[in-house]
Amino acid sequence: MYIRKTTRIKDGKSHDYWALVESYRTERGPRQRVVAWLGELNKAGRLGIEKVAKGSHGYQRNLFEQDTEPEWVEVNIKGVRVENIRDFGGPWLCLELIRQLQLDQFFSEYLPGGREKVPWSTMALVLVICRLCHPSSELHIAEHFFEQTALADLLGVPLNRMNEDRLYRALDKILPHKEELERHLKDSAGSLFNLDYDLFLYDVTSTYFEGDALGNPLAQRGYSRDHRGDCKQVCIGLVVTRDGFPLGYEVFAGNRTDVTTVEEIVEVMENRYGKANRIWVMDRGMASSDNFEFLNEKARQYIVGANRGQLKQYEAELLKKDWQTVHKGLEVKRVESPDGQELFILCRSSDRAKKERAMHDRFEKRIEEALIRMASGCEKRRYQAKVIERRVGKLLGKNSRAAGLFDVRVEKGFNGGATVTWTKRGDWRDWSRLSEGCYMLRSNIRDWTPEELWKAYIQLTEAEDAFRIQKNDLKIRPIWHQKEERVLAHILVCFLAYVLWKSLEGLCRQAGLGDEPRKVFYELSQIKLSDVILPTRNGKEIRLRCVGTPTKHQRILLQYLKLKLPQRFSKHNL
């Protein structure tokens, strides 16, 4: 603090007035505010005020706080109470992850402060933390969840400054920085967890809308992985590392097929992270002649699931005994392509064979029982052949897994009605039994063993797990936003929350706690923050804002994760 002179002209005379001014720092730089107007002071008065304002050793003191809080006071134990219990562990853990990823520094740099009373960088953190702790709408965050947590203390945002309009505007602020965010997180997570970027795992999912989304051209009807064909949707293409850490994503129109997204996502990722030493891994939904031509034209390396129809060409190879065992129940075999440019990996899984055989048997039984009922109905009543043919077509369409087994004939009987007869094709059953549990991989990597290629391909489960977590734990679906920009920002916030999830998983793996962060997060989120009110003998109350004492299990988790839980936030005398 210091004193400042202000000169005013009054009745033609100059008068000097003095004010006590406090200097403080903000994100927009240092600011000053008047603490008290002192009026006219002589030299002795000014020296006394300056001495008090400066304090000892240059420490700037606040005149409205007591110098020290008494270490020992007499307390009325009958009046001791606990108030304002809030969730602390979850938001605090999220903030620790954010700091390790330096995400708070990124937002401070790319979302500079202006005239707003709450910085946009802080509001962005609120969105990400709430998405991981308690996924809900911006309105629910503003009106309910924020006040139930310790975010106001952790981030310094007063409760009366939190509203849904600020959260919606924060969505608009972070969306333009999507690419910079992905690059920053790749670098920070890569150094934090020593990630490998040799393998790019790519997969596509969809998420549906509640509402018509008329103003969003990306909202279209298409193949729904959520079994919500009645709703519009968008498709999300996600690229992750072999450890499942997300590198980036793109949002496509809801009617876009997987196979048409490959060229776009490959070019986007190459422009962002470079082309050297990249191996693309995709499932068979991405396989097409155009995509293979695109990947080969610049010598890109790939491992792609082959279409199941190609398996018939290698029937002779399936009958041979020269299979290589990867582990119990799984065998692989390398086969050269006809042109010698690629190779195919035949894979055979005993568990998958049992599953497919059970499915074939179930569908076979379902079709045969329905045909028996249909034939019995034709004996009792005259049906036109066209009606029965439509019923048969519908039956086989619903049970396509075993439809090829049946050769169904619908003919006109002696009484003028339709008759239904069928036979079972032995060649179809023989091929079905031989190919059950078998699938193929297609690759142009010739210096890897079949086992290495299979292990790289099976890492695609990391991308599938990412979609499962975002849909079930982070509630990316359904999308309630209607505007295109808000939809894209909503998906970006879910992406950032998933990065925190994977970061916690990485910390758990480094600490030897396994790779299931869900249980760790739940356990630590039970820690609370509360106000302990201590009524004193002189009538005043001491308010202590205390963090709950962790349980034995929580202390062990914190110790292994190398995280230090604060014991007390602040003290307020009332």
Side-chain angles (χ1 to χ4, degrees), residues 545-561:
R545 188 151 294 172
C546 300
V547 178
T549 303
T551 64
K552 179 181 178 181
H553 291 152
Q554 292 168 347
R555 287 197 302 269
I556 294 173
L557 291 176
L558 291 170
Q559 180 181 357
Y560 273 82
L561 293 173

Side-chain angles (χ1 to χ4, degrees), residues 313-314 316-318 320 322-323 332-338 340 342-347 440-443 446 450 453:
Q313 304 174 20
Y314 300 94
E317 296 292 337
L318 295 177
K320 293 180 180 179
D322 55 339
W323 290 81
V332 294
K333 177 192 289 192
R334 174 172 173 162
V335 179
E336 294 291 335
S337 64
E342 297 176 308
L343 55 90
F344 291 92
I345 304 299
L346 301 181
C347 308
M440 292 176 61
L441 310 181
R442 183 173 177 177
S443 177
R446 309 191 65 84
L453 291 170

Side-chain angles (χ1 to χ4, degrees), residues 2 14 34-35 44 52 60 83 99 115 154 182 212 226 273 385 391 394 402 412 414 438 460 465 477 499 532 534:
Y2 62 94
S14 178
V34 176
V35 176
V52 173
Q60 180 173 290
E83 295 179 350
R99 287 168 179 162
R115 299 178 60 185
L154 288 166
E182 291 175 351
D212 295 331
D226 304 317
Y273 303 124
R391 290 183 181 180
K394 187 176 181 180
K412 188 174 181 179
F414 295 108
C438 297
L460 267 178
D465 288 342
R477 64 178 182 185
V499 171
V532 179
L534 304 175

Side-chain angles (χ1 to χ4, degrees), residues 187-293:
D187 294 337
S188 59
S191 60
L192 191 61
F193 302 112
N194 194 25
L195 299 176
D196 293 325
Y197 297 110
D198 58 334
L199 215 62
F200 279 12
L201 311 171
Y202 175 58
D203 203 358
V204 177
T205 191
S206 61
T207 182
Y208 64 93
F209 288 84
E210 289 290 353
D212 295 331
L214 298 176
N216 188 350
L218 295 177
Q220 302 291 336
R221 285 185 171 85
Y223 171 67
S224 175
R225 283 84 169 173
D226 304 317
H227 307 290
R228 290 300 305 269
D230 58 319
C231 298
K232 291 183 178 180
Q233 65 178 19
V234 291
C235 294
I236 304 172
L238 178 67
V239 179
V240 302
T241 67
R242 64 168 67 240
D243 300 308
F245 195 90
L247 290 170
Y249 71 93
E250 293 296 320
V251 181
F252 306 106
N255 56 0
R256 188 93 172 258
T257 55
D258 296 1
V259 73
T260 63
T261 65
V262 173
E263 291 190 23
E264 183 174 342
I265 198 71
V266 170
E267 289 177 348
V268 168
M269 292 296 118
E270 287 181 346
N271 292 334
R272 195 168 298 168
Y273 303 124
K275 302 178 182 179
N277 300 323
R278 308 293 187 211
I279 299 175
W280 286 91
V281 183
M282 311 174 196
D283 64 17
R284 65 185 182 185
M286 315 292 178
S288 72
S289 58
D290 291 339
N291 286 338
F292 286 117
E293 182 180 352

Side-chain angles (χ1 to χ4, degrees), residues 25-271:
R25 291 186 177 275
T26 69
E27 291 190 356
R28 298 183 292 275
R31 296 289 186 270
Q32 292 79 36
R33 56 188 170 206
V34 176
V35 176
W37 293 100
L38 305 176
E40 294 181 317
L41 292 174
N42 56 24
K43 187 175 182 179
R46 294 197 302 272
L47 290 174
I49 293 295
E50 286 178 353
K51 184 176 180 180
V52 173
K54 289 180 179 178
S56 60
H57 305 291
Y59 174 70
Q60 180 173 290
R61 304 167 68 188
N62 190 336
L63 297 182
F64 297 99
E65 290 184 352
Q66 295 182 1
D67 293 344
T68 59
E69 193 172 84
E71 192 169 339
W72 298 96
V73 293
E74 293 186 9
V75 176
N76 179 12
I77 59 174
K78 293 184 179 179
V80 175
R81 62 189 186 276
V82 177
E83 295 179 350
N84 202 17
I85 301 175
R86 285 148 294 158
D87 295 333
F88 176 81
W92 171 78
L93 181 57
C94 289
L95 199 56
E96 290 295 317
L97 296 172
I98 286 171
R99 287 168 179 162
Q100 292 195 26
L101 292 170
Q102 299 178 358
L103 189 57
D104 53 339
Q105 298 180 20
F106 176 90
F107 282 138
S108 298
E109 179 181 352
Y110 283 86
L111 303 177
R115 299 178 60 185
E116 68 279 356
K117 295 183 179 179
V118 180
W120 295 120
S121 58
T122 303
M123 297 304 298
L125 296 180
V126 172
L127 287 169
V128 177
I129 292 173
C130 291
R131 177 56 53 177
L132 181 56
C133 291
H134 186 78
S136 58
S137 66
E138 286 72 20
L139 180 62
H140 183 270
I141 292 172
E143 294 189 351
H144 301 285
F145 184 68
F146 188 81
E147 65 182 12
Q148 297 169 3
T149 70
L151 280 172
D153 300 275
L154 288 166
L155 299 177
V157 181
L159 293 178
N160 60 353
R161 296 294 183 190
M162 180 57 57
N163 56 68
E164 67 274 18
D165 291 334
R166 275 199 170 94
L167 293 171
Y168 286 134
R169 293 178 65 190
L171 288 173
D172 301 333
K173 294 290 184 179
I174 64 176
L175 181 60
H177 307 291
K178 171 182 175 292
E179 292 186 15
E180 292 85 355
L181 268 168
E182 291 175 351
R183 290 194 187 95
H184 170 81
L185 292 171
K186 170 188 174 290
D187 294 337
S188 59
S191 60
L192 191 61
F193 302 112
N194 194 25
L195 299 176
D196 293 325
Y197 297 110
D198 58 334
L199 215 62
F200 279 12
L201 311 171
Y202 175 58
D203 203 358
V204 177
T205 191
S206 61
T207 182
Y208 64 93
F209 288 84
E210 289 290 353
D212 295 331
L214 298 176
N216 188 350
L218 295 177
Q220 302 291 336
R221 285 185 171 85
Y223 171 67
S224 175
R225 283 84 169 173
D226 304 317
H227 307 290
R228 290 300 305 269
D230 58 319
C231 298
K232 291 183 178 180
Q233 65 178 19
V234 291
C235 294
I236 304 172
L238 178 67
V239 179
V240 302
T241 67
R242 64 168 67 240
D243 300 308
F245 195 90
L247 290 170
Y249 71 93
E250 293 296 320
V251 181
F252 306 106
N255 56 0
R256 188 93 172 258
T257 55
D258 296 1
V259 73
T260 63
T261 65
V262 173
E263 291 190 23
E264 183 174 342
I265 198 71
V266 170
E267 289 177 348
V268 168
M269 292 296 118
E270 287 181 346
N271 292 334

